[in-house]
């Protein structure tokens, strides 16, 4: 103890040695196979060890490694070499040591290395159900579902022999097996197994913020999916009614908790679209009323993870997001098409009543809600029985005028004056003034100016996440301004740039070889307007993707060694097809963006569907023009190539030209 104290005075690393040793013991040693620590997966200990591994003797964060990590998980962020370094020490390599290390390897995508470690655990102890479960999940990641099922059945047999609760086995393990039967296309067994897991889960109480809450709702989701694929809609409706009549400790129905689950990380939100499809296909107004009531309660009762009754002020972002999702769902699937308008209006009013700090925090949600309203007002104006000039926002015009309402959404008060926002609403109002109100160039350009200036400002710094937003804003502007498209030669360059940048950051982005000849505008009269803002950052999260450990390791090492490019770091997939292709890989030969809708696009397989009015949900319109932005136009491709090569001069010149025109 005295020797450690002396070293601790001189070294921050020495100070934390006892904590580090305890973390390694918790992570890599267990008393027996029914140790409850196995269900915790030691994520907290791994974070502490990673932080310690990044610490210098002077207490500094080496290479600023911690700041580069997501706060939500270590998946895909900790290298295989780092994981191996974390376990160095004197702890014996038992079966528990191998399973403890193998689990985060699998979670981080190093499936091959994880399989080797799970197999070594089984060589030491043939009854290692944790290793069996780990092997099952590894093979699930590799889509070898038959082998995955076999290994998990073995794990279940061992658990049953060692006295594990049959209820917990059926509740958790059977649900996983159901997802693999689903992957094999065996829908009958998927339904049978999922139903068994769901009935087992009903024995648990929902709402205590435990792991059981998440598993129960995952069982519900896993039960609905195969039923939906088999078109057994009556059984799904019966299940939803049952959820609505099932009480919870939160004094709301289980259906309300099921709707709140969309705020959990990686929950497959496509399940709500399945329910919307059933509602539309069967014209079930009673189901819509039930879902609408549950969605209203989801924001008013219980917090984001269902832990308590009622939100606090700190949960306002969750409340507003649930309100937005409810309105969006009613817009997309609702049989009563105008009901969503009131929901969007109340949400905008709720946010506008807050202080400036809260308005800033909720600005993204407000912009999305205002975008829907703007789109619907624009559509209403196009179908107005009066001449277009009588539908405008002239002084004295009735406040119910759709364009007057669009004008109100496009502006906000600044220094006592009403000025245009940098927003989709302002862009759409500018498009109306230019195309339908015969306004002067000065008038409609005033609507475009704030968005252009804001984008130029964001592109002028070296924060890569700002570039994503800026390119998106410029893309929206050029979509609304045909002259800007023709003059720039970039087509909708912002969206092109983002798609192209993905090629350097993810193997599942648009192929680089397909960047020739973009910019054609598809025919359309643009006589009507429907709009849907799809959450582009949401992926199904249901099908685990195969990732070879050696490739992942090589890529991460290459990225670590390469000097950071400020125009590439941090780009994520922002746009995916809004059609019915459900592409999980985001590999497209073409992307066509609607000239009027807000960030709505279709791939080569789906682009004809809105034109033919064959989409099963409300989005876009047959009369809207489409602008093909991928493959890239030559000018856009050249600029992106220069950014990848760290030659920023072409972009600087382009920004100067934009600033001279709009600044």
């Amino acid at each position: 103890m005295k020797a450690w104290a002396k070293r601790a005075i001189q070294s921050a690393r020495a100070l934390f040695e006892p904590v580090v040793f305890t973390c390694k013991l918790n992570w890599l040693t267990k008393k027996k196979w029914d140790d409850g620590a196995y269900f915790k997966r030691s994520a907290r200990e791994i974070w502490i060890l990673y932080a310690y591994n990044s610490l210098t003797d002077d207490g500094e964060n080496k290479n600023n490694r911690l700041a580069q990590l997501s706060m939500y998980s270590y998946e895909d962020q900790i290298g295989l070499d780092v994981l191996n370094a974390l376990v160095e020490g004197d702890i014996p390599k038992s079966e528990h040591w191998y399973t403890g290390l193998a689990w985060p390897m699998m979670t981080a995508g190093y499936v091959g290395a994880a399989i080797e470690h799970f197999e070594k655990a089984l060589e030491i102890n043939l009854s290692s159900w944790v290793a069996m479960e780990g092997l099952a999940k590894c093979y699930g990641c590799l889509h070898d579902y038959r082998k995955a099922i076999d290994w998990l059945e073995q794990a279940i047999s061992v658990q049953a022999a060692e006295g594990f609760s049959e209820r917990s086995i059926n509740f958790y393990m059977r649900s996983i097996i159901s997802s693999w039967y689903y992957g094999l296309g065996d829908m009958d067994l998927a339904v049978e197994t999922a139903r068994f897991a769901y009935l087992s889960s009903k024995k648990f109480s929902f709402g205590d913020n435990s792991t059981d809450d998440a598993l129960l709702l995952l069982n519900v989701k896993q039960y609905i999916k195969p039923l939906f694929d088999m078109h057994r809609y009556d059984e799904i409706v019966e299940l939803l009614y049952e959820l609505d009549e099932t009480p919870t400790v939160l004094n709301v129905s289980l259906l309300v908790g099921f709707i709140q689950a969309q705020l959990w990380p990686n929950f497959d939100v496509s399940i709500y679209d399945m329910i919307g499809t059933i509602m539309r296909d069967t014209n079930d107004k009673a189901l819509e009323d039930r879902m609408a009531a549950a969605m209203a309660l989801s924001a008013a009762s219980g917090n984001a993870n269902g832990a308590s009754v009622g939100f606090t002020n700190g949960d306002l972002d969750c409340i507003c997001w649930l309100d937005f999702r409810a309105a969006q769902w009613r817009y997309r699937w609702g049989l009563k098409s105008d009901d969503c308008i009131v929901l969007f209006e109340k949400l905008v009013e709720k946010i506008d009543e807050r202080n400036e700090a809260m308005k800033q925090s909720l600005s993204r949600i407000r912009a999305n809600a205002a975008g829907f309203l703007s789109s619907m007002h624009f559509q209403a104006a196009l179908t107005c029985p009066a001449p277009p000039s009588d539908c405008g926002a002239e002084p004295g015009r009735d406040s119910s005028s759709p364009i007057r309402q669009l004008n109100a959404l496009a502006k906000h008060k600044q220094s006592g004056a009403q000025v245009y926002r940098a927003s989709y609403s302002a862009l759409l109002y500018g498009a109306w003034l230019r195309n339908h109100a015969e306004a002067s160039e000065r008038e409609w350009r005033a609507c475009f100016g704030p968005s252009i200036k804001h984008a130029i400002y964001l592109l002028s710094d070296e924060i890569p996440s700002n570039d994503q937003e800026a390119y998106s804003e410029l893309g929206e502007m050029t979509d609304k301004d045909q002259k800007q498209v023709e003059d720039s030669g970039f087509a909708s360059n912002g969206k092109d740039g983002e798609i192209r940048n993905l090629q350097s950051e993810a193997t599942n982005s648009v192929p680089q070889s397909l960047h020739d000849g973009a910019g054609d505008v598809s025919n359309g009269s643009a006589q009507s307007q429907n709009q849907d803002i799809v959450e582009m950052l949401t992926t199904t999260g249901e099908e685990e993707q195969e990732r070879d450990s050696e490739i992942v390791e090589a890529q991460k090492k290459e990225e670590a060694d390469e000097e950071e490019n400020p125009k590439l770091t941090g780009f994520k997939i922002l746009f995916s097809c809004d059609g019915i292709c459900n592409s999980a890989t985001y590999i497209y030969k073409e992307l066509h963006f609607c000239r009027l809708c807000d960030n709505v696009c279709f791939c080569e397989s789906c682009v004809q569907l809105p034109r033919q009015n064959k989409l099963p949900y409300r989005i876009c319109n047959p009369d809207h023009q489409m602008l093909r932005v991928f493959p890239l136009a030559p000018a856009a491709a050249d600029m992106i190539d220069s950014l990848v090569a760290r030659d920023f001069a072409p972009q600087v010149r382009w920004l100067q030209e934009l600033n001279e025109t709009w600044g």
Side-chain angles (χ1 to χ4, degrees):
M1 176 66 73
K2 185 179 294 185
W4 167 78
K6 288 182 178 180
R7 286 187 292 107
I9 294 173
Q10 303 297 326
S11 169
R13 288 178 60 84
L15 176 65
F16 290 103
E17 283 176 359
V19 175
V20 168
F21 184 73
T22 302
C23 285
K24 286 186 178 181
L25 286 177
N26 291 341
W27 175 20
L28 301 170
T29 65
K30 302 291 183 290
K31 297 178 181 178
K32 50 186 177 178
W33 288 114
D34 62 353
D35 192 327
Y38 268 119
F39 298 98
K40 299 179 181 179
R41 305 307 180 200
S42 303
R44 181 181 302 172
E45 286 80 2
I46 293 171
W47 271 121
I48 293 173
L49 290 170
Y50 182 81
Y52 178 78
N53 199 49
S54 306
L55 191 69
T56 67
D57 286 335
D58 294 330
E60 299 293 331
N61 175 16
K62 186 165 48 182
N63 299 326
N64 201 30
R65 287 169 59 181
L66 295 181
Q68 301 169 16
L69 293 177
S70 165
M71 63 179 291
Y72 298 107
S73 73
Y74 56 80
E75 296 180 14
D76 297 322
Q77 299 181 77
I78 298 181
L80 184 59
D81 57 337
V82 176
L83 280 173
N84 284 318
L86 296 184
V87 299
E88 291 178 355
D90 299 329
I91 296 177
K93 293 185 178 181
S94 67
E95 64 268 34
H96 305 295
W97 187 96
Y98 282 108
T99 55
L101 178 56
W103 207 273
M105 284 179 173
M106 176 187 66
T107 306
Y110 308 109
V111 178
I115 289 175
E116 291 179 7
H117 282 68
F118 284 131
E119 289 175 342
K120 288 180 179 178
L122 283 171
E123 290 174 4
I124 298 173
N125 188 330
L126 294 176
S127 297
S128 173
W129 67 265
V130 177
M132 295 173 187
E133 181 191 353
L135 284 172
K137 291 196 171 183
C138 284
Y139 287 114
C141 291
L142 299 174
H143 307 297
D144 191 346
Y145 299 125
R146 184 62 62 188
K147 188 176 288 188
I149 292 171
D150 291 343
W151 274 114
L152 199 54
E153 289 285 7
Q154 290 187 53
I156 290 173
S157 298
V158 173
Q159 285 185 330
E162 294 190 1
F164 278 76
S165 165
E166 182 180 348
R167 184 179 68 168
S168 64
I169 294 173
N170 295 334
F171 180 35
Y172 173 58
M173 298 292 196
R174 297 296 177 191
S175 179
I176 300 174
I177 291 177
S178 172
S179 70
W180 291 334
Y181 279 128
Y182 183 88
L184 288 170
D186 192 336
M187 296 303 165
D188 288 326
L189 276 176
V191 168
E192 179 184 337
T193 311
R195 177 173 175 77
F196 189 72
Y198 166 67
L199 292 176
S200 299
S201 69
K202 290 179 66 178
K203 301 173 184 178
F204 293 84
S205 297
F206 178 85
D208 60 359
N209 198 26
S210 68
T211 304
D212 294 345
D213 284 358
L215 293 177
L216 195 158
L217 297 183
L218 287 173
N219 285 341
V220 171
K221 180 199 70 174
Q222 197 57 47
Y223 187 21
I224 289 175
K225 288 189 68 175
L227 286 174
F228 179 82
D229 285 1
M230 298 174 75
H231 298 280
R232 291 162 62 172
Y233 293 167
D234 289 345
E235 294 175 62
I236 296 177
V237 173
E238 182 181 346
L239 172 62
L240 293 173
Y241 279 33
E242 181 179 313
L243 295 179
D244 196 31
E245 294 164 2
T246 301
T248 69
V249 298
L250 301 175
N251 295 323
V252 293
S253 75
L254 187 54
L255 182 60
V256 173
F258 181 64
I259 291 170
Q260 290 177 336
Q262 65 190 292
L263 287 176
W264 292 356
N266 300 324
F267 192 83
D268 185 359
V269 296
S270 68
I271 202 76
Y272 307 112
D273 287 342
M274 294 179 189
I275 297 171
T277 299
I278 295 169
M279 189 177 71
R280 279 214 163 189
D281 286 358
T282 59
N283 198 35
D284 193 336
K285 294 183 174 61
L287 177 59
E288 180 177 13
D289 290 340
R290 289 232 184 185
M291 290 295 293
M295 286 180 173
L297 283 172
S298 70
S301 57
N303 64 16
N305 58 13
S308 62
V309 178
F311 283 106
T312 65
N313 289 334
D315 297 313
L316 184 60
D317 54 344
C318 296
I319 295 174
C320 290
W321 182 245
L322 286 170
D323 282 339
F324 171 74
R325 287 285 293 167
Q328 183 190 42
W329 189 85
R330 297 290 295 278
Y331 174 91
R332 189 179 180 93
W333 298 106
L335 301 171
K336 306 167 186 176
S337 58
D338 291 335
D339 285 359
C340 62
I341 294 178
V342 175
L343 298 179
F344 283 125
E345 288 177 340
K346 287 183 178 179
L347 177 55
V348 170
E349 291 173 3
K350 180 188 295 185
I351 295 174
D352 287 347
E353 290 172 354
R354 303 294 165 175
N355 59 41
E356 287 304 317
M358 288 304 303
K359 286 181 183 178
Q360 184 65 27
S361 174
L362 299 168
S363 60
R364 181 77 62 181
I365 297 176
R366 187 202 183 279
N368 288 347
F372 275 95
L373 287 171
S374 300
S375 174
M376 288 183 277
H377 294 326
F378 191 91
Q379 166 66 15
L382 289 175
T383 58
C384 178
S389 60
D390 294 334
C391 291
E394 298 87 354
R397 180 71 179 171
D398 189 284
S399 61
S400 63
S401 163
I403 290 302
R404 190 178 188 89
Q405 291 173 297
L406 175 58
N407 176 272
L409 289 168
K411 293 181 176 180
H412 66 142
K413 183 175 290 188
Q414 192 175 81
S415 301
Q418 291 290 323
V419 298
Y420 288 112
R421 298 174 180 267
S423 66
Y424 167 73
S425 301
L427 294 176
L428 202 57
Y429 184 63
W432 170 267
L433 291 177
R434 184 194 59 214
N435 298 333
H436 302 283
E438 299 180 356
S440 67
E441 183 174 348
R442 181 186 61 81
E443 291 176 296
W444 64 258
R445 279 172 62 91
C447 301
F448 285 77
S451 294
I452 300 297
K453 293 176 182 178
H454 185 245
I456 292 173
Y457 170 76
L458 293 177
L459 282 172
S460 299
D461 61 31
E462 292 188 357
I463 303 175
S465 58
N466 286 348
D467 286 18
Q468 298 180 80
E469 181 178 351
Y471 281 131
S472 181
E473 290 185 14
L474 290 174
E476 283 186 324
M477 185 279 295
T478 53
D479 275 351
K480 308 300 176 289
D481 184 0
Q482 175 62 39
K483 186 176 186 301
Q484 182 72 18
V485 174
E486 295 168 351
D487 289 349
S488 68
F490 277 84
S492 183
N493 178 67
K495 291 159 183 149
D496 292 341
E498 284 165 341
I499 294 168
R500 180 59 184 278
N501 272 317
L502 293 175
Q503 296 166 10
S504 300
E505 294 299 304
T507 57
N508 62 346
S509 60
V510 186
Q512 182 172 354
S513 59
L514 301 172
H515 69 280
D516 298 316
D520 63 311
V521 178
S522 306
N523 290 331
S525 58
Q527 293 302 304
S528 59
Q529 159 77 350
N530 286 325
Q531 193 278 120
D532 184 41
I533 299 179
V534 177
E535 296 168 61
M536 298 301 180
L537 297 180
T538 301
T539 60
T540 63
E542 185 64 23
E543 298 300 329
E544 298 172 288
Q545 301 297 312
E546 177 180 356
R547 290 174 293 183
D548 181 87
S549 60
E550 292 183 1
I551 294 177
V552 173
E553 173 73 5
Q555 287 177 338
K556 291 184 177 180
K557 187 176 187 304
E558 181 179 349
E559 291 170 2
D561 293 340
E562 186 176 359
E563 181 183 353
E564 185 178 272
N565 185 335
K567 293 300 180 182
L568 289 178
T569 303
F571 278 90
K572 304 292 183 183
I573 292 175
L574 293 185
F575 300 106
S576 59
C577 176
D578 292 315
I580 60 176
C581 61
N582 292 326
S583 173
T585 58
Y586 302 100
I587 296 177
Y588 307 116
K589 294 181 179 178
E590 297 177 4
L591 276 180
H592 301 252
F593 278 77
C594 178
R595 292 283 315 284
L596 287 175
C597 296
D598 187 18
N599 288 339
V600 171
C601 65
F602 302 95
C603 69
E604 69 281 358
S605 300
C606 298
V607 68
Q608 295 300 329
L609 297 178
R611 295 168 178 166
Q612 299 167 1
N613 201 24
K614 290 185 177 180
L615 287 169
Y617 40 81
R618 186 181 183 188
I619 186 174
C620 202
N621 190 277
D623 296 324
H624 288 185
Q625 288 184 334
M626 296 285 175
L627 179 67
R628 193 183 79 189
V629 301
F630 193 82
L632 298 178
D638 290 344
M639 178 178 287
I640 301 306
D641 285 336
S642 67
L643 291 178
V644 172
R646 296 181 176 80
D647 177 11
F648 306 126
Q651 187 198 44
V652 171
R653 288 194 296 270
W654 179 56
L655 288 174
Q656 289 174 342
E657 293 173 2
L658 282 176
N659 196 45
E660 289 172 1
T661 303
W662 296 94

